[in-house]
């Protein structure tokens, strides 16, 4: 699949998908509290998405059995919601969600602290989020794709964190995952030249310890190999002639 340049109509549909996804994340942030299950979060997320007349991008995607990926503490991504997994004070919870609006996807992730969390966990969440913004400073027409990757790496590396390398960002549009792949770590090559109309999901996944990850027996849940905490921050962005537009953030 080649990298697609979106038309004005496609961009408008993706903007609407992004707004709805941003609202979904805002509502879920308010919903998270100690004592609820990860399945409660999934059900609430699906309810919100469908209330806007949208379809959850993730539900049954390649067999994934839920609408919201709920990953707690050392779970990096793709945690499967369960009524047995109860959220506790001090946990950090990563929510990855997508919506389909009139055939077009938006994809975004957030990591939230539950109640009082450790200063170390709070710093990891903040650095992960900021690394996204450091990366997209280079998401401009005429720059190269891996300028984004290198900027994320350069920001995160001094903190001593592990940047997940087994999972990367991606293009997005009428498909949830499109070309190109977008690594969050330094690349030797420059990658493709960015052009107006490209839509990308940039998503740093950062571990407090080493970068190594493993898959659980459910074939979905990715965890840190050393048991350290992990944070995830993602938005769908649009490349323009000027600054990038973040489609999945309420501006």
């Amino acid at each position: 699949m080649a990298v697609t340049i979106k038309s004005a109509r496609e961009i408008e549909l993706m903007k609407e998908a992004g707004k709805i996804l941003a609202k979904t994340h805002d509502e879920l942030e308010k919903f998270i509290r100690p004592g609820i299950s990860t399945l409660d979060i999934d059900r609430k997320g699906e309810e919100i998405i469908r209330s806007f007349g949208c379809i959850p991008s993730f539900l049954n995607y390649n067999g994934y059995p839920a609408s919201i990926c709920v990953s707690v503490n050392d779970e990096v991504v793709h945690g499967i919601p369960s009524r047995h997994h109860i959220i506790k004070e001090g946990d950090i919870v990563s929510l990855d969600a997508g919506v389909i609006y009139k055939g077009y996807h938006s994809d975004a992730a957030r990591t939230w602290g539950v109640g009082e969390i450790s200063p170390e966990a709070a710093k990891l969440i903040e650095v992960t989020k900021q690394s996204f913004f450091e990366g997209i400073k280079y998401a401009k027409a005429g720059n190269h794709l891996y300028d984004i990757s290198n900027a994320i790496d350069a920001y995160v590396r001094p903190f001593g964190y592990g940047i997940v390398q087994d999972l990367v960002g991606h293009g997005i549009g009428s498909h949830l995952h499109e070309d190109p792949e977008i690594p969050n770590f330094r690349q030797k090559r420059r990658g493709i030249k960015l052009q107006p109309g490209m839509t990308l999901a940039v998503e740093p996944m950062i571990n407090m310890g080493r970068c190594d990850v493993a898959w659980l027996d459910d074939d979905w849940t990715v965890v840190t190999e050393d048991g350290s905490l992990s944070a995830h921050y993602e938005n769908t962005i649009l490349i323009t002639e000027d600054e990038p537009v973040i489609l999945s953030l309420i501006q």
Side-chain angles (χ1 to χ4, degrees):
M1 189 193 300
V3 179
T4 58
I5 304 297
K6 308 303 188 295
S7 68
R9 177 185 168 274
E10 289 176 308
I11 289 166
E12 286 309 308
L13 294 175
M14 291 189 69
K15 282 181 176 176
E16 192 58 33
K19 279 184 201 165
I20 291 164
L21 184 52
K23 288 174 184 172
T24 302
H25 272 297
D26 280 3
E27 289 300 312
L28 288 176
E29 180 191 6
K30 297 171 196 164
F31 182 72
I32 293 173
R33 61 191 180 276
I36 65 170
S37 72
T38 56
L39 184 60
D40 292 331
I41 296 170
D42 175 62
R43 285 176 173 163
K44 181 68 172 177
E46 181 173 357
E47 178 188 302
I48 297 165
I49 290 168
R50 292 194 187 279
S51 76
F52 288 102
C54 291
I55 299 166
S57 298
F58 297 174
L59 185 59
N60 301 319
Y61 181 79
N62 291 339
Y64 184 76
S67 298
I68 312 291
C69 297
V70 187
S71 307
V72 182
N73 295 333
D74 65 333
E75 295 173 348
V76 181
V77 285
H78 305 156
I80 296 177
S82 165
R83 64 188 174 88
H84 302 295
H85 195 158
I86 305 301
I87 302 296
K88 303 186 301 296
E89 177 93 11
D91 283 344
I92 67 170
V93 181
S94 296
L95 304 182
D96 192 358
V99 307
I100 309 171
Y101 175 77
K102 296 186 178 177
Y104 283 82
H105 294 262
S106 189
D107 189 3
R110 308 281 186 263
T111 301
W112 306 115
V114 182
E116 288 291 318
I117 62 172
S118 70
E120 293 81 11
K123 182 179 175 187
L124 174 69
I125 292 170
E126 182 51 41
V127 168
T128 302
K129 178 178 179 179
Q130 187 57 34
S131 72
F132 165 86
F133 289 99
E134 295 297 323
I136 68 160
K137 287 177 183 177
Y138 295 86
K140 297 179 181 177
N143 284 353
H144 288 257
L145 182 68
Y146 296 153
D147 294 338
I148 300 171
S149 309
N150 295 345
I152 292 170
D153 187 297
Y155 178 74
V156 172
R157 198 69 64 178
F159 292 96
Y161 296 146
I163 303 171
V164 174
Q165 301 194 10
D166 291 33
L167 300 148
V168 295
H170 51 91
I172 184 169
S174 58
H175 296 83
L176 178 59
H177 292 106
E178 298 184 356
D179 288 338
E181 291 193 341
I182 309 164
N184 299 302
F185 49 96
R186 184 165 296 285
Q187 302 294 300
K188 289 179 181 171
R189 294 179 178 162
R190 299 192 71 193
I192 60 167
K193 191 173 274 195
L194 298 174
Q195 298 176 51
M198 288 181 175
T199 45
L200 310 173
V202 178
E203 53 175 323
M205 289 156 271
I206 311 298
N207 300 341
M208 193 176 282
R210 299 196 315 271
C211 67
D212 309 282
V213 298
W215 272 254
L216 297 186
D217 290 343
D218 62 22
D219 288 334
W220 279 105
T221 309
V222 181
V223 297
T224 59
E225 214 166 68
D226 60 8
S228 64
L229 296 178
S230 187
H232 186 194
Y233 189 83
E234 173 187 22
N235 281 302
T236 299
I237 68 167
L238 167 69
I239 305 298
T240 73
E241 293 285 3
D242 194 29
E243 297 295 322
V245 177
I246 304 175
L247 301 180
S248 53
L249 202 58
I250 295 171
Q251 305 283 349

